[in-house]
Amino acid sequence: MNNLPRAEYRTVVVGGGIVGLFSAYHLARAGAGPILVLDRGFLSSGASGRNGGGVRQQWETRATVRLAREAVRDYRRFGREFGYNPWFRQTGYLFLAESADELARLRRVHDLVRSEGLASEVLAADALSRYVPGIAPGSAVGGTYLRSDGVLYPFPAIWGVYEAARALGVDLAFGVEVLGIDSEAGRVTGVRSSAGPVATTSVVNAAGGWSSDVARRAGLDVPNVATRHEILATEPLKPFLDPMVVRASDGLYFSQTVHGGLVGGLTLPHPAGTAAGLPSSAKFLTAMARALVGLLPRLRSLRVLRAWSGFYDDTPDGLPVIGEDPRLGGFVHANGFGGHGFMLAPAATRRVARAVLGERTDLEPELFAPDRFLAPRLPSTAERLLLG
Ligand SMILES: Cc1cc2nc3c(=O)[nH]c(=O)nc-3n(C[C@H](O)[C@H](O)[C@H](O)COP(=O)(O)OP(=O)(O)OC[C@H]3O[C@@H](n4cnc5c(N)ncnc54)[C@H](O)[C@@H]3O)c2cc1C
């Protein structure tokens, strides 16, 4: 006996963040129920409720550009499809280069993005102040800009997919931890949870920063590593900034919300793993203040309202893991999204649903399949534009 609506489900999704919710939604739309989503926290307690809302299509990997472009289309029609407005503002992403080498790298991204039909632009140093009013002279040698990139509010997106999944008959249980995944003869047979056992033939590992932990509970070793990232929100300013601004050198990123505050972060080295929890640090506040004021001296007196942190789920090659694990039939990965899972979720999880249904996907296996780490391949296929 368990405390869940049923004792048996066709699929159990571990993790009720944006990836788990969208996976359940696409599966339910494909008529592949009954489906259960289990999350040990509350709705949006993971990275999905802690991120910067950036949605970009500028990537070094063609496959990721394509996934992101599809996701942009999904978010553009999100309000009509889900009845919640995530305020997706296509006001662009501006990448800043501080050196000729960085600019050359951004140019290569620009060439790839343009070859995919997206209207990316290369900006000279003197054009930057049009997009970032008040930018300190000499702080960047140029940049790239793609107007159709943008920013959204994560919470209405989460609510929209949550409600839509429920309306399609998906059962969702929060405050329920997956403790173990059972198997027989190399195939998933069930899940042991804090609310009791559930029989199932497929499990989706959408546990974000805890995905390696959940894989271990199925007896599988994966190379995913959780890394903590900090982020802050400031008091509101009069509207002055349209794009999400990202600096290639240190991963500084920030955008201005509809409310007027800036939301942004910076990449700092933190010990890997989830054991230390999710504190915020004075080191981050100082580094962020230095970086922001150095770039935009007008922000000198700006006050920070809140700071928080969340886990990225990083893979060795910077690409997500999507597909059935070759070592355990019915165990499907939907993880490894690093700092970019929100923007890729609607499109990537279409492929997750197909993988659960045993259908072929259009994803290159050498880029996304879990077995790429079992038989390592050339590093040239890695995604390295892991910023903002
Ligand atoms: C500071 C920060 C800024 C970011 N900025 C952006 C951005 O601008 N754009 C973007 O696209 N992405 C961004 N990201 C990344 C993005 O937030 C994540 O990639 C995305 O939210 C991952 O979604 P998820 O559903 O896979 O994981 P999560 O939202 O973390 O959900 C995983 C869930 O699994 C649950 N869980 C874990 N273990 C178990 C278990 N054993 N049993 C049951 N449940 C379990 C957790 O409680 C959690 O709710 C950012 C992340 C951070 C931290």
Side-chain angles (χ1 to χ4, degrees):
M1 273 296 287
N2 66 37
N3 297 324
L4 298 161
R6 309 167 65 109
E8 189 171 346
Y9 285 86
R10 184 159 169 194
T11 302
V12 175
V13 178
V14 189
I18 196 69
V19 172
L21 293 173
F22 257 123
S23 298
Y25 171 75
H26 289 310
L27 275 166
R29 285 196 50 165
I35 300 155
L36 173 67
V37 177
L38 293 178
D39 195 299
R40 68 176 169 200
F42 54 87
L43 184 63
S44 79
S45 57
S48 300
R50 297 164 176 273
N51 65 83
V55 178
R56 67 160 151 109
Q57 304 152 99
Q58 301 178 68
W59 292 92
E60 280 181 350
T61 317
R62 190 176 295 281
T64 316
V65 177
R66 290 181 177 173
L67 273 183
R69 190 177 51 190
E70 185 179 313
V72 161
R73 283 191 221 117
D74 289 323
Y75 280 130
R76 277 175 65 88
R77 61 165 187 263
F78 191 94
R80 292 192 296 281
E81 188 173 344
F82 293 91
Y84 281 78
N85 184 354
W87 286 90
F88 180 38
R89 289 150 280 145
Q90 287 182 278
T91 44
Y93 248 70
L94 173 61
F95 279 94
L96 295 175
E98 284 182 323
S99 68
D101 278 356
E102 281 171 15
L103 193 55
R105 178 185 181 202
L106 293 180
R107 264 182 200 284
R108 287 194 293 277
V109 173
H110 157 84
D111 290 343
L112 172 65
V113 166
R114 276 196 86 90
S115 75
E116 285 294 313
L118 294 163
S120 161
E121 294 168 51
V122 176
L123 303 177
D126 59 2
L128 296 174
S129 60
R130 268 197 281 135
Y131 297 88
V132 193
I135 188 170
S139 55
V141 300
T144 51
Y145 174 71
L146 179 57
R147 173 68 198 241
S148 57
D149 288 348
V151 188
L152 52 67
Y153 282 116
F155 297 104
I158 291 168
W159 269 109
V161 192
Y162 168 76
E163 293 286 2
R166 264 171 36 129
L168 289 168
V170 173
D171 288 329
L172 299 108
F174 288 86
V176 177
E177 178 164 358
V178 169
L179 305 169
I181 289 119
D182 295 325
S183 60
E184 260 176 49
R187 282 209 67 84
V188 167
T189 54
V191 159
R192 272 168 287 125
S193 82
S194 56
V198 184
T200 188
T201 50
S202 61
V203 166
V204 175
N205 180 0
W210 300 271
S211 67
S212 58
D213 183 34
V214 167
R216 252 192 313 279
R217 293 176 190 203
L220 301 171
D221 244 353
V222 293
N224 300 39
V225 170
T227 52
R228 182 165 67 86
H229 283 253
E230 299 188 50
I231 181 167
L232 58 74
T234 73
E235 65 181 338
L237 293 164
K238 285 193 177 147
F240 77 101
L241 182 69
D242 279 339
M244 168 78 90
V245 179
V246 185
R247 189 158 65 188
S249 58
D250 57 359
L252 169 71
Y253 68 92
F254 57 96
S255 68
Q256 187 170 28
T257 66
V258 174
H259 180 241
L262 298 185
V263 171
L266 180 80
T267 303
L268 285 181
H270 288 302
T274 55
L278 287 170
S280 294
S281 69
K283 189 174 163 199
F284 166 69
L285 281 182
T286 316
M288 189 69 189
R290 279 215 181 94
L292 264 183
V293 176
L295 191 67
L296 278 166
R298 64 189 289 174
L299 301 181
R300 188 169 293 115
S301 308
L302 187 65
R303 280 173 296 195
V304 172
L305 292 186
R306 290 186 301 285
W308 64 97
S309 65
F311 290 120
Y312 285 16
D313 180 29
D314 290 327
T315 58
D317 58 12
L319 288 162
V321 191
I322 299 169
E324 187 180 54
D325 197 292
R327 298 164 293 181
L328 182 57
F331 191 83
V332 174
H333 294 271
N335 49 60
F337 286 94
H340 309 98
F342 218 97
M343 64 180 84
L344 297 175
T349 52
R350 269 196 195 95
R351 281 73 181 173
V352 171
R354 280 181 211 143
V356 170
L357 296 171
E359 296 169 7
R360 282 179 67 86
T361 76
D362 57 354
L363 296 175
E364 293 92 329
E366 68 277 18
L367 294 185
F368 297 100
D371 50 1
R372 69 187 194 264
F373 299 120
L374 303 175
R377 70 218 149 110
L378 296 176
S380 60
T381 47
E383 173 60 59
R384 298 283 171 221
L385 199 66
L386 304 176
L387 309 159

